[in-house]
Amino acid sequence: MIWTIPTDSGPIVVREQLEPEDEPGILELFAACDDWFEAVTGGPSGPGDVQSLFYALPEGTGFEDKRLYTVRDGEKIVGLIDVVLGFPHRRACAVGTFLLAPTHRGAGLGTAISRVLLDEARLSGLDEVTAAATDAWQSGMSFLRSIGFAIGDADPSREPQHTRASGAALRRATLTLTSSP
């Protein structure tokens, strides 16, 4: 699937699934987003982080449940969204990563992309979206709240799949989807 999202600075394209030729662009995005990696994982991004996108799956899900979306400004990859369908239950999906390059943050792009993808989730019959939220990335928590997610209490027994050593509290954010936005 491909969606074109109009913005004040021109169209942004969201494309489902990564291609092998996307790896250099993803590595460049990860390097630009080291602020997020440092806050969430406790260290900078590395080459293994791209490969882990494909293999990081919650228990009980398979590779066919994984969706990876790139966000593109022209030919440049400026965002990445990692979603697992059917988790934590059959009519839900879990967002593992929703990452935008610093150059594309704070202008409403994340909200615009979310509206499109949440509409798609509703149309496909999903009724819940969950996301991991961490105290170490307050702008992410604020973003989730702004689009309607409820942020749960800290759960010290849960650790982000990609966390190395951030030590920050992890929370589950939940959005119940209704039949109309």
Side-chain angles (χ1 to χ4, degrees):
M1 301 270 313
I2 297 175
W3 300 272
T4 300
I5 300 170
T7 71
D8 291 341
S9 59
I12 296 292
V13 173
V14 177
R15 189 178 84 193
E16 184 179 352
Q17 298 309 105
L18 297 179
E19 303 296 332
E21 61 270 12
D22 292 336
E23 186 172 7
I26 298 294
L27 286 169
E28 187 177 322
L29 171 68
F30 282 8
C33 294
D34 265 343
D35 57 342
W36 181 83
F37 278 94
E38 290 283 345
V40 174
T41 70
S45 65
D49 290 324
V50 174
Q51 286 78 20
S52 72
L53 286 171
F54 294 95
Y55 300 109
L57 288 165
E59 191 172 327
T61 63
F63 295 115
E64 68 280 1
D65 303 316
K66 179 74 116 173
R67 301 294 183 273
L68 295 168
Y69 302 92
T70 56
V71 178
R72 296 164 187 267
D73 187 350
E75 294 298 314
K76 187 170 182 66
I77 295 174
V78 297
L80 176 83
I81 305 155
D82 167 19
V83 177
V84 177
L85 300 175
F87 186 83
H89 57 81
R90 185 179 58 78
R91 294 195 51 199
C93 68
V95 178
T97 302
F98 192 112
L99 190 62
L100 288 177
T103 56
H104 287 71
R105 296 178 192 160
L109 179 59
T111 300
I113 293 167
S114 295
R115 282 187 192 128
V116 168
L117 294 179
L118 290 171
D119 285 347
E120 286 292 324
R122 281 183 195 92
L123 289 172
S124 71
L126 296 178
D127 60 20
E128 182 179 74
V129 179
T130 64
T134 177
D135 292 346
W137 192 248
Q138 285 296 311
S139 61
M141 299 242 289
S142 295
F143 170 70
L144 288 168
R145 284 187 187 101
S146 77
I147 60 172
F149 278 80
I151 310 291
D153 292 333
D155 182 354
S157 69
R158 291 185 65 225
E159 177 121 352
Q161 293 177 4
H162 45 38
T163 292
R164 293 186 192 115
S166 74
L170 182 68
R171 302 169 188 276
R172 175 174 282 185
T174 305
L175 176 65
T176 300
L177 299 176
T178 57
S179 57
S180 61

